[in-house]
Amino acid sequence: MKIKMAETVPAAIIRRNRPGIKAQDWGNWQDESFEEMDSTLAVQQFIQQAIRKDFTNIEEILTPPEGQDEGVWKYEHLRQFCMELNGLAVRLQCSECNPETCTQMTATEQWIFLCAAHKTPKECPAIDYTRHTLDGAACLLNSNKYFPSRVSIKESSVAKLGSVCRRVYRIFSHAYFHHRALFDEYENETYLCKRFTSFVTKYNLMSKDNLIVPILEDQQSIEGESEA
Amino acid sequence: MASEEAVIATNDDAAQCKRYAVEKGYWVDPYISLMISKGTAHHAPEINRGYYARITSIRILLEKFIRLTNRKCQVVNLGAGYDTTFWKLKDAHLTPEKFVEIDFAPVTSRKCHHIKSKRPLLDKITNEDEDIMLSQSDLHSANYHIVGANLVDLAELDKKLQQSGIDRSIPTVFISECVLVYIEANKSAKLIKWISDNFPTAFFINYEQVNMGDRFGQVMIDNLKTRDCYLYGVSACDSLQSQMQRFTSNGWRDADALEMNKVYNCLPQSEIKRIEKLELMDERELMEQLFSHYCLVWAYKDVNNIGLEEIDLSQS
């Protein structure tokens, strides 16, 4: 009997974006089960796959595969958030957030933030603060010192994630309180702030008091305080 | 409080006195000159020695607490004014997990401004993990926090401590330097009780007036009155006994108190010899009289028995 290869072995799916790929085809390949993801980047792949499938289904995106190490899970999500926050940063930079209009990093009027990216913290304009903070987060999350492996992460390095969350969150709050239309547009396309807020709440990475963007339905309205 | 401004002014006085003594060589503090301008007044040697004994003895107790807890502790300075202890601890690699300063908002906002605009101050509160968050009167950084609050408003104090991320389960030392005496004794008692109610492992260092019932005390009270500054809490400063009792009757396990003459004799004698050569003193009695009207009080509660009872001025 002749064996026809094509009938018995399905064609291997190559999950790769080739040069010249059309935008609508970007990352447009078949899902893979977590067990089959045979790489050190499996967790990232799993998260990105869930986002691609339905970015509004936050609960599913934040549900780890069984037996997943929690430190790695938090790390990979935060990495993904930082990557996607760059999208928001680009929109801010390309439109109305510039050093002349937003001279300081503020959310509500009450607090200003000094940018920690400098030897002596500086009162950077909001857009600079945004870029410096995302760059700083990328440096930290890719540093060999704290995160030499993406398979297991030391407890002392996991402890660093909370402060990265607190810092990058300010990009959301600045956008929300100062560039509301732009924020809403990006949020509608990504649910990024909703997902971030659910994430830091689920894993206790930020205190509720600091979550000043009222994005989730069960979040207490702090509108009154924001005007203080 | 009738005259907040007058109480606030006592901070400028104290800071200027400290700067004066530092410049005379009594102790080293590279930061006080960044907080307060040079005063024009001349201060007598007994005043300088008094400040020396005050800051040195508080530092001894504080450092023992920090070392005992292996820096896993919090420091809360009530009515901190322009105190520079945080920066000096940082230089000595003795930074606690959290250092919170509380004072009236006009004081804290001025201090925030100094910190923000002076690099040696700003650099030391900088930490690569945490930004500095700044409002009109409050500032939060990784380890150092300063907040504006009135110490008689316990709800406000609680809120500000929470905003600073205070963890009540961690050993915490409270410091007050000539602060409680400006608050009615029943209100400072409430503050002292609130702390013992809320912090299972706590130490309190209080420096202030004592033996105020005599002629000298009365003159001090009258002098301050002419500056619109009232010692509302002086009843607790009647004796060492009353100073200790305000703690032991408000939930603290034990308290100790020493007149500053005694404290002075407990300090490292080589240092005392050194500072006594800085400025000569004609009448030692003046100093002794002054020192007998100030005291150092410390109290503790120690639910987990981590050894707070061991902390005193003795030198190991």
Side-chain angles (χ1 to χ4, degrees):
Chain A
M1 195 164 73
K2 259 187 173 176
I3 296 168
K4 287 182 188 166
M5 292 296 286
E7 281 174 15
T8 51
V9 183
I13 297 165
I14 297 168
R15 295 178 168 80
R16 203 164 298 164
N17 292 310
R18 297 290 188 189
I21 193 172
K22 298 247 184 335
Q24 69 264 26
D25 296 329
W26 184 270
N28 187 18
W29 49 66
Q30 215 178 310
D31 283 359
E32 196 174 18
S33 73
F34 186 68
E35 294 73 35
E36 282 165 15
M37 294 177 183
D38 183 23
S39 107
T40 48
L41 306 181
V43 182
Q44 169 171 305
Q45 191 185 338
F46 183 79
I47 292 169
Q48 290 179 343
Q49 180 172 291
I51 296 168
R52 219 167 28 238
K53 194 168 144 202
D54 181 4
F55 67 87
T56 67
N57 193 344
I58 288 164
E59 205 187 317
E60 189 179 326
I61 298 169
L62 294 181
T63 304
E66 215 168 301
Q68 174 59 47
D69 176 89
E70 192 173 291
V72 174
W73 181 246
K74 290 192 284 195
Y75 168 81
E76 288 292 350
H77 264 289
L78 186 53
R79 223 168 178 283
Q80 182 66 26
F81 281 119
C82 290
M83 289 196 276
E84 293 189 59
L85 265 164
N86 275 286
L88 179 59
V90 167
R91 294 216 192 165
L92 285 168
Q93 176 153 356
C94 291
S95 61
E96 54 202 37
C97 185
N98 57 55
E100 288 74 44
T101 52
C102 303
T103 56
Q104 293 174 325
M105 186 58 170
T106 54
T108 61
E109 295 312 314
Q110 195 187 355
W111 297 101
I112 63 165
F113 298 99
L114 301 191
C115 183
H118 313 271
K119 203 158 166 282
T120 300
K122 263 174 64 178
E123 225 174 290
C124 284
I127 191 64
D128 292 346
Y129 179 101
T130 300
R131 291 187 294 111
H132 297 163
T133 299
L134 287 174
D135 287 350
C139 277
L140 178 75
L141 295 176
N142 288 309
S143 91
N144 258 327
K145 184 174 163 204
Y146 295 113
F147 301 100
S149 154
R150 288 171 73 171
V151 181
S152 81
I153 297 176
K154 298 193 288 274
E155 216 24 68
S156 59
S157 298
V158 173
K160 298 246 163 206
L161 301 180
S163 76
V164 176
C165 290
R166 279 197 293 282
R167 279 155 78 174
V168 299
Y169 183 79
R170 287 170 198 146
I171 302 169
F172 287 121
S173 51
H174 176 74
Y176 180 84
F177 288 105
H178 295 271
H179 310 284
R180 184 62 189 275
L182 189 149
F183 174 91
D184 286 345
E185 187 188 278
Y186 195 73
E187 185 63 17
N188 284 337
E189 292 169 23
T190 60
Y191 274 40
L192 195 61
C193 187
K194 276 197 199 73
R195 197 204 316 158
F196 189 90
T197 308
S198 307
F199 169 71
V200 295
T201 307
K202 180 171 177 182
Y203 293 105
N204 253 323
L205 289 161
M206 281 178 65
S207 80
K208 285 210 162 57
D209 303 343
N210 290 331
L211 296 168
I212 57 174
V213 178
I215 196 88
L216 298 179
E217 274 150 28
D218 56 354
Q219 223 174 327
Q220 275 181 349
S221 169
I222 46 89
E223 293 282 357
E225 192 182 308
S226 72
E227 274 150 29
Chain B
M1 210 158 290
S3 178
E4 229 175 86
E5 291 79 21
V7 177
I8 289 170
T10 65
N11 167 52
D12 288 355
D13 280 351
Q16 245 153 18
C17 286
K18 287 180 184 174
R19 177 171 174 162
Y20 185 91
V22 165
E23 285 171 0
K24 285 270 176 207
Y26 280 85
W27 70 92
V28 176
D29 182 347
Y31 305 105
I32 189 73
S33 61
L34 301 169
M35 296 284 186
I36 188 86
S37 57
K38 205 171 182 145
T40 49
H42 172 85
H43 302 287
E46 61 266 25
I47 303 283
N48 299 327
R49 289 186 192 181
Y51 274 99
Y52 172 82
R54 162 174 165 179
I55 74 112
T56 308
S57 58
I58 291 174
R59 176 66 186 254
I60 290 171
L61 295 179
L62 176 61
E63 216 170 277
K64 281 192 181 182
F65 180 88
I66 293 173
R67 290 185 194 279
L68 179 76
T69 56
N70 209 1
R71 298 199 289 121
K72 289 186 175 50
C73 63
Q74 305 172 120
V75 179
V76 178
N77 193 333
L78 305 164
Y82 291 157
D83 187 74
T84 57
T85 303
F86 174 81
W87 288 268
K88 290 187 284 178
L89 288 176
K90 179 106 183 184
D91 286 343
H93 305 289
L94 284 170
T95 322
E97 286 194 358
K98 207 164 270 301
F99 194 104
V100 185
E101 299 188 327
I102 301 154
D103 212 314
F104 289 120
V107 177
T108 60
S109 59
R110 273 154 67 201
K111 194 166 181 177
C112 285
H113 175 76
H114 293 320
I115 294 169
K116 197 181 112 183
S117 55
K118 295 188 177 139
R119 246 187 97 163
L121 297 175
L122 188 57
D123 280 347
K124 290 279 154 59
I125 64 165
T126 302
N127 173 305
E128 58 170 10
D129 285 345
E130 215 62 59
D131 290 342
I132 292 166
M133 190 172 153
L134 199 66
S135 75
Q136 192 59 42
S137 63
D138 299 3
L139 181 155
H140 298 288
S141 68
N143 306 112
Y144 174 79
H145 305 257
I146 177 167
V147 293
N150 191 324
L151 295 173
V152 302
D153 185 346
L154 296 178
E156 187 186 26
L157 177 66
D158 186 17
K159 193 178 113 199
K160 294 284 182 146
L161 286 176
Q162 279 183 34
Q163 283 177 3
S164 305
I166 278 278
D167 180 345
R168 293 178 181 183
S169 67
I170 294 176
T172 306
V173 54
F174 293 81
I175 303 171
S176 61
E177 272 185 67
C178 292
V179 168
L180 302 179
V181 70
Y182 300 111
I183 301 172
E184 281 100 330
N186 64 330
K187 288 183 181 156
S188 66
K190 276 188 187 143
L191 171 65
I192 288 168
K193 184 169 187 316
W194 182 84
I195 294 169
S196 73
D197 283 346
N198 288 287
F199 291 82
T201 308
F203 198 82
F204 203 116
I205 304 171
N206 181 38
Y207 171 88
E208 71 183 356
Q209 288 88 337
V210 73
N211 302 327
M212 288 294 280
D214 65 4
R215 179 79 201 122
F216 184 98
Q218 195 53 50
V219 171
M220 193 193 308
I221 292 168
D222 293 343
N223 277 344
L224 282 165
K225 239 183 233 174
T226 63
R227 295 157 58 181
D228 208 23
C229 193
Y230 296 85
L231 300 181
Y232 290 109
V234 79
S235 65
C237 306
D238 195 52
S239 65
L240 292 176
Q241 199 53 41
S242 63
Q243 280 285 11
M244 290 187 280
Q245 208 173 359
R246 72 197 314 190
F247 291 96
T248 51
S249 60
N250 282 303
W252 296 74
R253 193 195 291 175
D254 206 355
D256 221 330
L258 287 177
E259 266 179 32
M260 288 311 282
N261 280 315
K262 279 256 176 64
V263 169
Y264 193 71
N265 292 330
C266 289
L267 298 178
Q269 288 308 299
S270 59
E271 274 293 287
I272 294 293
K273 268 194 195 129
R274 181 186 68 79
I275 66 141
E276 290 195 343
K277 282 185 199 142
L278 292 172
E279 292 178 288
L280 298 178
M281 188 178 282
D282 302 333
E283 294 174 273
R284 206 177 165 90
E285 298 70 32
L286 277 180
M287 177 178 115
E288 281 162 8
Q289 189 183 36
L290 177 70
F291 280 19
S292 71
H293 288 86
Y294 284 91
C295 67
L296 183 70
V297 189
W298 61 98
Y300 70 93
K301 57 172 301 202
D302 189 359
V303 171
N304 300 318
N305 292 314
I306 64 165
L308 295 184
E309 65 185 340
E310 304 291 329
I311 295 177
D312 58 22
L313 288 178
S314 67
Q315 292 151 51
S316 48

